[in-house]
Amino acid sequence: VLGVLHDYRDLRIPELREKVLLRLERYFGQVVKRPGLAKVFKAPAPWLRDICHGVAVSELLAELLAHHPSLVEGVATVAGGLPPFPAWEAAGTRLLKRAKDLEEGLEWLRRLKNERQIQLILADLRGDLDHAALEGELSVLADFFIRHTYRRILDNLQLPEKLPLSVLSLGKLGSSEMS
């Protein structure tokens, strides 16, 4: 945190300096209220600087983490990296299979979406992905969530798998079909 604060101390626009400070204070104010989560930050790790820098410069990341501070665990478990989508998809599918009912499954879907979004934001901020690669990642991510949400609803309503239904999705994730 101190390193990121040091990096931004010379900003010429006081409002930006204040925004950086407030974002970091807001997030870490949430972290200290959760002793289990605070343990994630005790050991130095390279991804910690990425998180602090990301919170400082990305309003999306700052908001996600302020509302759901434990999402950082999804970054910690992959040591700050961006696992290839097939590996992430396999791990996510295993987690979803453990969900006992619709509500638990939907909650896991929300968490997985947010964790992967954070991984992608950090990769983008590090310059690990170009625009086309990021668009592709967001599109396969959107497809994953549409498929799994649809499957959960079919199972919950006990509807046949070959139901003549179309799912049309327009939203924040993915845009390959529009490009």
Side-chain angles (χ1 to χ4, degrees):
V1 175
L2 290 176
V4 169
L5 288 173
H6 184 269
D7 292 347
Y8 292 98
R9 74 169 190 246
D10 293 330
L11 284 173
R12 296 187 196 282
I13 304 169
E15 293 81 18
L16 288 179
R17 268 197 321 264
E18 185 176 341
K19 189 178 276 194
V20 167
L21 184 60
L22 289 173
R23 285 178 180 170
L24 289 166
E25 179 184 37
R26 183 175 179 207
Y27 176 61
F28 285 103
Q30 294 293 323
V31 169
V32 297
K33 294 177 185 174
R34 296 165 173 83
L37 180 58
K39 290 178 186 175
V40 172
F41 291 93
K42 295 226 185 237
W47 60 266
L48 288 173
R49 183 159 178 79
D50 287 347
I51 287 287
C52 292
H53 172 73
V55 167
V57 300
S58 169
E59 186 172 349
L60 175 60
L61 182 60
E63 287 298 313
L64 270 172
L65 289 175
H67 293 290
H68 308 283
S70 65
L71 289 173
V72 76
E73 293 167 340
V75 175
T77 58
V78 295
L82 180 66
F85 183 79
W88 179 87
E89 180 179 31
T93 301
R94 281 192 304 275
L95 277 171
L96 290 170
K97 284 182 180 177
R98 293 187 210 159
K100 297 174 184 89
D101 57 28
L102 178 64
E103 276 303 310
E104 185 180 357
L106 293 178
E107 187 56 39
W108 272 111
L109 282 165
R110 279 189 284 279
R111 181 168 180 100
L112 287 168
K113 178 188 80 74
N114 289 334
E115 284 182 357
R116 186 62 173 182
Q117 222 175 347
I118 289 171
Q119 292 170 357
L120 290 168
I121 291 167
L122 293 174
D124 184 41
L125 290 173
R126 285 190 306 267
D128 295 349
L129 300 171
D130 63 19
H131 178 76
L134 181 59
E135 181 181 289
E137 286 283 337
L138 290 171
S139 291
V140 294
L141 187 61
D143 290 343
F144 173 88
F145 290 110
I146 291 168
R147 278 192 326 274
H148 283 276
T149 302
Y150 180 66
R151 176 82 253 150
R152 291 246 164 228
I153 292 169
L154 285 180
D155 291 347
N156 185 61
L157 297 175
Q158 299 174 344
L159 295 172
E161 192 168 322
K162 300 219 179 209
L163 187 67
L165 180 67
S166 295
V167 176
L168 183 62
S169 174
L170 300 172
K172 294 179 186 177
L173 293 179
S175 63
S176 65
E177 67 282 349
M178 295 178 180
S179 297

